[in-house]
Amino acid sequence: MNCRFTSFAVLFSLVSVGWAAAPTATYLTPEVRKQLDAEIAKEMKERNLPSVAVSIVVPGEEPYLFAKGKANLATATERGLDDSFRIASNTKTFVGLAILRLVDQGKLKQGDLIAKWFPDFPNADKITVDNLLRMQSGISDPFDKEWLAKYFANPLMVQTVAESIRLAAARKNEFKPPGKETSYCNFNFILLQEIAEKVSGKPIADLIRDEITKPLGLTKTFWPRDNHLPGPLRGYDWNAATVKFEDKTDLNPQAPGGAGAMISDLADLRTFVRALATGKLLQPGTHSAQIQSRQLAGSPSFVRYGEAIGLIGEWRGHTGTITGFSTDMLYLPALDATVITSVNRLDLDDESQSTPLTLAMIRLAFPKHVAW
């Protein structure tokens, strides 16, 4: 289902900078930069985007860094390259990577049945950790359109993990056999969050810090412990009834949890998506299994999902939408290139405001590496 923190599924339905500039550019040429500027300006105007921040990096070429628009409509503060934002479903890649780190440490196995931790959950004796990671659990996602409308109306609402589990279990008659279909499900990562905490003995925020953000030197990436977003950036939705933007920045991260709670910025996501996509923090065999993928249900054949990582053609990464924010992070192994896009708008319809722009920019800068 499409969900405020599931922009990765939406993407598939749409078919400290210190690099030295190369003497001549192959991809981010002066002409391509002009085209990128024009494309972003067009998208901002046509989609009425409050602000956009973009990072496109190809080793050996001067990076393309762009920030324009208003970080805060009330104060007219300009968008900056170092603003923090909510990364929504990109959170799943952090949770999944934390699980795989525990696998490498011998603390659990992908083939472990979830009955080990949730013996009373429906199909617990059939669903494995790997099924959760690969979106093949068969669980009917409780984060449906009705739930999303409720969360959108009250982003500060309290919903515990126990309540999310109860809501999912109540839909057991809608479950499908695990391992048969790759179908996007936010709830999988609520369970993975809980498994990671039970196995490690640490809160998920501490586990991700110790296993991922600290080893990678990520200084602005974290699991929030309150409802606030640090820095000047605000997130908005467009209210068609009032014909106005509404501030949707503050939210209770407990509700999306492992499916969409985290915060980061452009620079950190550049580092992270490269590490994620190349297996920097994993043993070679674990990474090899991580990127083995299957077609995502309802998507073109080149749109696939591995173990908490998405693949669209040659590109690897994820995307995310959550109240007020749309974010994409993608990596191209062939060129060691990264593309990060952040937009501070997401409406009730949950249509990503960043993904159409990301796909268009990739077509402009990397035309030989496009499958759509």
Side-chain angles (χ1 to χ4, degrees), residues 118-166:
F118 308 101
D120 298 325
F121 190 79
N123 279 3
D125 59 344
K126 300 181 179 67
I127 299 170
T128 67
V129 169
D130 195 56
N131 291 150
L132 297 176
L133 289 167
R134 295 184 180 281
M135 300 294 187
Q136 295 172 2
S137 68
I139 296 172
S140 178
D141 202 337
F143 299 106
D144 55 15
K145 290 183 178 179
E146 182 179 349
W147 185 93
L148 289 172
K150 180 181 177 182
Y151 186 57
F152 190 84
N154 181 20
L156 299 180
M157 76 178 197
V158 175
Q159 180 166 307
T160 64
V161 169
E163 175 64 7
S164 295
I165 292 174
R166 186 193 68 78

Side-chain angles (χ1 to χ4, degrees), residues 67-142:
K68 188 174 182 180
K70 304 302 180 185
N72 186 320
L73 296 176
T75 65
T77 302
E78 294 295 320
R79 180 72 186 263
L81 287 170
D82 60 350
D83 290 343
S84 296
F85 47 84
R86 300 191 186 280
I87 67 172
S89 273
N90 294 290
T91 299
K92 293 179 174 70
T93 61
F94 285 85
V95 174
L97 187 53
I99 287 284
L100 295 178
R101 292 273 288 178
L102 294 172
V103 169
D104 278 349
Q105 294 163 12
K107 296 179 179 179
L108 79 162
K109 299 176 181 178
Q110 290 102 320
D112 286 343
L113 294 169
I114 68 169
K116 187 173 182 178
W117 304 281
F118 308 101
D120 298 325
F121 190 79
N123 279 3
D125 59 344
K126 300 181 179 67
I127 299 170
T128 67
V129 169
D130 195 56
N131 291 150
L132 297 176
L133 289 167
R134 295 184 180 281
M135 300 294 187
Q136 295 172 2
S137 68
I139 296 172
S140 178
D141 202 337

